[in-house]
Amino acid sequence: MNRREALKVAGALALVSAVSAEAKMLEKDMNRMEMKPKDPKNMSKGELKHTPQITIKEKDAKGYTRVEITTGQGGIIHPSTQDHWIDFISLHADDTLVGKNTLEPEISRGATSFYVKLDNVKTLKATSGCNLHGIWSSTLTV
Ligand SMILES: [Fe+2]
């Protein structure tokens, strides 16, 4: 390996190292603790703000039902700023993953929908991740 090739390899390694360090730092800054309301029948404002609301909407001609998920209940919508936002929402039908959407701060807020075949499905479980306040779930009996 000549000097020029060695410099190229060293530069590439430094870039990989920097990107990896940044990814680890970003991951470290995300709160990934599983959270639960202390009293599900009497949730605080902060708990309402993070608990996903599952709403079953219309069924299409192919038999898929639109399931809408909004992070926040009781009229409280979770904020979406550069420092504080819902970064993903996922949905399970019984034990099967339906989908997982990643969300960007500011340009979108903590809401999404999936088209789901609900035949024989007993429960839907939605999960939302807040970068600061952890991972929150709710379950709906179909
Ligand atoms: Fe939050």
Side-chain angles (χ1 to χ4, degrees), residues 46 49-50 71 78-79 83-86 129-134 136:
K49 192 192 302 181
H50 290 91
T71 306
H78 191 279
D83 299 330
H84 183 202
W85 79 101
I86 298 300
C130 168
N131 69 310
L132 294 181
H133 302 110
W136 299 74

Side-chain angles (χ1 to χ4, degrees), residues 63-75:
Y64 292 89
T65 302
R66 186 162 69 94
V67 177
E68 184 183 274
I69 302 152
T70 295
T71 306
Q73 297 192 358

Side-chain angles (χ1 to χ4, degrees), residues 46-142:
E47 291 168 339
L48 285 168
K49 192 192 302 181
H50 290 91
T51 303
Q53 173 87 50
I54 304 168
T55 308
I56 294 178
K57 298 289 195 171
E58 74 284 352
K59 188 187 248 186
D60 71 13
K62 298 285 186 184
Y64 292 89
T65 302
R66 186 162 69 94
V67 177
E68 184 183 274
I69 302 152
T70 295
T71 306
Q73 297 192 358
I76 302 171
I77 294 173
H78 191 279
S80 185
T81 65
Q82 280 297 325
D83 299 330
H84 183 202
W85 79 101
I86 298 300
D87 65 281
F88 81 89
I89 294 175
S90 64
L91 180 69
H92 280 80
D94 294 326
D95 292 327
T96 303
L97 177 66
V98 171
K100 180 177 180 179
N101 284 342
T102 57
L103 302 164
E104 296 296 322
E106 288 189 326
I107 190 92
S108 66
R109 70 172 180 86
T112 192
S113 61
F114 297 96
Y115 283 82
V116 189
K117 286 241 174 166
L118 289 180
D119 313 327
N120 304 317
V121 170
K122 291 179 178 62
T123 59
L124 291 170
K125 180 183 177 186
T127 304
S128 296
C130 168
N131 69 310
L132 294 181
H133 302 110
I135 296 171
W136 299 74
S137 295
S138 65
T139 302
L140 178 74
T141 302
V142 178

